[in-house]
Amino acid sequence: MWPENVGICAIEVVFPSQYVDQTELEQFDGASAGKYTIGLGQSKMGFCSDREDVASLCLTVVSRLIERNQIRPQDIGRLEVGTETIIDKSKSVKSVLMKLFADSGNTDIEGIDTTNACYGGTAALFNSVNWIESSSWDGRYALAVCADIAVYAKGAARPTGGAGAIAMLVGPNASLIFERGLRATHMEHVYDFYKPDLSSEYPTVDGKLSIQCYLSALDTCYQLYRKKFEKKYPDAAQVGLDNLDALIFHTPFCKLVQKSMARVVFNDFLLCKSTKRALKYPGLERFNDATLANTYFDRDVEKAFMIQFNDTFERKTRKSLLLANQVGNMYTPSVYSGLVSLLISNTPEELLGKRIGVFSYGSGLAASMYSILVTKDKQVFQQFVSKLDYVLPMLNTRKKIAPEVFSELMEVREKNNHAASYTPSGSVSALFPGTYYLKHVDDKYRRTYERTSVITNGVH
Ligand code: ACO
């Protein structure tokens, strides 16, 4: 017998305590006013000084999840990390996280790291769900962790950075249930965004190509998801997007998600029987002969569907962009920050029993669309969502840093990336309470971490 209702039982997010304002960054970069804020749809960008690395972000998010939800470390049987922030070519971040389990004596925890650009978190989550649904499962929880520090060299891509971490406790009888048989995946070999220079944190990126790859992966995953949905629910009264109450996306920048929602409607339009099209999509007949392949940068198609279906975007997606707009692209956690944003921007009653579509994309490329069903158990769900009460206050207590200082801190990271021995210079007092930080890297590249003090009986 399979365990029932496997999915996310608890979720925790962390983001940097410092941010740069995108309007100020436009001025500092000499970009035209509105390019980052209106053109890309970004308000603030979180960033880490050299005091934080991917392992410290993961230590912070996992310890906070365990404390807030009072999980016994012995009850974790699998721990997976998805990241593309590589600080060691052999040693996994997961192995560093085992520090958190040392006192409990629990070393029987499967799982290591998974890497493919922004997709690693989804792979970690799928692996966790798969383990619980497999014959290897021993009855304990799995933890899927994703974390990244998204930094770009000076230039057009820099305002699309960000940083953060998310940990998800996976088990049966979950609040957010994975819908069986409804995963659609598209993978192929492309050089749109990659990190071939192992001495640098910065990617090599073909921005336009990465957007085209993102949109074409969305087309393929969505159409495949639709097919699988029709197979699973042959008697469904509705088709396509009407079956999803909310749709969340990997969010490199918010404007792309607004365009992506229009793209999903455009897919529905192309798949709609010609006899029904005029009724469902009035005024769009001029696009009857359009194709997916020829419209990635077609402003007419993009604009027409964005304007006509703006209310669909408002209803199903806009609320999921809160953290992406305020923190930026977190890479692997990005799409799950969309999930957290959705959870904290609706009342539990509004989400109860609803179906949430998820589109995850990682350059290179790997992409999946799948769906999550929110439990119908009001009490369980209220309890689950109440654990996210800290998110908005934490977002609002971040410190704004001038672009000049941000730029200097980026240079410090750039210069000292992989330096040994090395003691970071970034401020410890600027970090949130309960944050793990990098104390020192010794001459053998061994990293030591400490934690800022935790307030209010371990829950903050
Ligand atoms: N006011 C309002 N809007 C403006 C202004 C202005 N003053 N100036 C420009 N814009 C608009 C542009 O019209 C454009 O919008 P549109 O595409 O809807 O027309 C938008 O702002 C961006 O301007 P571009 O000139 O297209 O920007 P540029 O090419 O310089 O950089 C890019 C954008 C390619 C996204 C870059 O930031 C980048 O490479 N980022 C990293 C790659 C990335 O995030 N890819 C996404 C998928 S892969 C991943 O997740 C990493």
Side-chain angles (χ1 to χ4, degrees), residues 163-205:
I166 290 202
M168 291 169 276
L169 185 74
V170 180
N173 307 317
S175 284
L176 302 176
I177 302 153
F178 272 63
E179 219 174 354
R180 284 188 175 133
L182 287 183
R183 281 189 207 170
T185 289
H186 172 71
M187 301 207 181
E188 70 177 277
H189 171 48
V190 197
Y191 282 119
D192 60 329
F193 164 114
Y194 46 109
K195 293 179 178 165
D197 180 355
L198 297 174
S199 67
S200 169
E201 283 195 294
Y202 299 145
T204 300
V205 55

Side-chain angles (χ1 to χ4, degrees), residues 5-9 173-179 233 243-248 339-340 342-344 346-358 371-385:
N5 299 329
V6 176
I8 302 168
C9 302
N173 307 317
S175 284
L176 302 176
I177 302 153
F178 272 63
E179 219 174 354
Y233 302 109
N243 287 308
L244 299 173
D245 300 295
L247 181 52
I248 63 173
L339 189 56
V340 171
L342 191 76
L343 293 168
I344 62 173
N346 285 283
T347 61
E349 291 74 22
E350 283 169 327
L351 290 173
L352 221 53
K354 295 283 163 69
R355 176 179 288 117
I356 303 168
V358 181
S371 48
I372 284 170
L373 290 175
V374 178
T375 178
K376 292 182 177 146
D377 188 325
K378 194 169 164 182
Q379 215 179 343
V380 165
F381 189 57
Q382 272 173 340
Q383 169 97 359
F384 170 81
V385 178

Side-chain angles (χ1 to χ4, degrees), residues 32-35 39 152 156-157 160 193 207 210 250 252-253 259 299 329 363:
S32 60
K35 181 174 176 184
Y152 291 92
T160 60
F193 164 114
S210 72
H250 166 58
F253 49 96
K259 291 180 181 188
R299 298 297 183 221
N329 188 359
S363 291

